[in-house]
Amino acid sequence: MAKAPKKTPKNSKSVAKSPASSAGKVPVKGGARVAEESGGRNAPMINIGIERQDRAAIAEGLSRVLADTYTLYLTTHNFHWNVTGPHFNSLHAMFMGQYTELWGATDVIAERIRALGHYAPGSYAEFSKIATVPDVPQHPPKAMEMVRVLVKGHETVSRIAREFIPVAQEAGDDPTADMLTARCTVHDQTAWMLRSLLEE
């Protein structure tokens, strides 16, 4: 007499997992992938409760945020050096505060990529492949045009960061989701402050 197949308890998890929920959801600009997996034979495998393919997808997303943040940092620092006109003192000081904050953010983002087991991109060649924020203008624009450029830059980084919050959340990566949420808060507020300078 054939035995009836065993019933799987409703709450049990299957050993063979389907592809990670975030895998393949990260847009790749120009087909470029830069978040190479790190590690070696002597180090134990990463076991932080986030699947390998999820960590790879999140690291790719964070690499884009890093590239955009660094590009915006460089633009803001350039404008700090090159701003002229009647608003020089206030804009020179404001830009310094903004580029200092952005510089600190690049470290936080890059170290999160490393914590996920991937190398953080850190070259102009890599950043140029994946950044959405345009490179700094070759010829410094007028002061208020600098402000417009930075408004667009901060809004762009905020949009890119928001794309990856659900990816991190679906993978159970609360630290990354929280970090990206915090970055959106900073960029939204900075864009508002800069935009206010353009209003009459």
Side-chain angles (χ1 to χ4, degrees):
M1 183 174 171
K3 291 183 179 180
K6 291 183 180 179
K7 290 184 179 179
T8 305
K10 288 182 180 178
N11 294 333
S12 70
K13 292 184 179 178
S14 173
V15 176
K17 295 191 74 171
S18 59
S21 57
S22 61
K25 287 190 179 179
V26 179
V28 179
K29 184 180 176 186
R33 287 195 176 276
V34 294
E36 182 184 344
E37 190 169 15
S38 64
R41 278 184 258 173
N42 295 328
M45 290 186 65
I46 293 176
N47 184 17
I48 58 174
I50 303 172
E51 294 295 320
R52 182 181 181 185
Q53 58 266 49
D54 283 336
R55 287 191 285 105
I58 295 165
E60 285 291 335
L62 287 176
S63 295
R64 282 189 60 193
V65 176
L66 177 61
D68 281 327
T69 302
Y70 193 93
T71 304
L72 184 57
Y73 151 75
L74 187 61
T75 300
T76 308
H77 209 154
N78 178 294
F79 289 173
H80 165 78
W81 292 328
N82 292 311
V83 66
T84 58
H87 301 291
F88 170 81
N89 283 334
S90 59
L91 290 179
H92 183 72
M94 176 185 281
F95 293 160
M96 182 170 68
Q98 291 173 1
Y99 80 66
T100 301
E101 195 283 329
L102 289 164
W103 177 252
T106 61
D107 208 46
V108 173
I109 298 165
E111 290 183 356
R112 185 60 193 161
I113 295 170
R114 296 295 294 123
L116 291 168
H118 290 258
Y119 290 115
S123 70
Y124 290 116
E126 289 175 305
F127 287 160
S128 67
K129 290 177 185 176
I130 58 174
T132 302
V133 173
D135 196 7
V136 61
Q138 289 188 352
H139 301 288
K142 298 292 186 183
M144 288 301 109
E145 183 58 28
M146 288 179 174
V147 172
R148 286 187 183 88
V149 168
L150 294 179
V151 167
K152 291 178 182 177
H154 281 280
E155 291 179 343
T156 298
V157 182
S158 185
R159 288 196 308 272
I160 296 300
R162 274 188 174 84
E163 285 184 34
F164 302 117
I165 292 174
V167 176
Q169 288 173 332
E170 287 175 22
D173 186 0
D174 293 336
T176 295
D178 291 346
M179 182 190 70
L180 290 174
T181 300
R183 294 309 308 153
C184 289
T185 301
V186 170
H187 290 296
D188 292 350
Q189 185 177 47
T190 305
W192 156 61
M193 289 180 172
L194 288 164
R195 188 183 293 280
S196 295
L197 294 171
L198 301 172
E199 295 179 0
E200 296 185 9

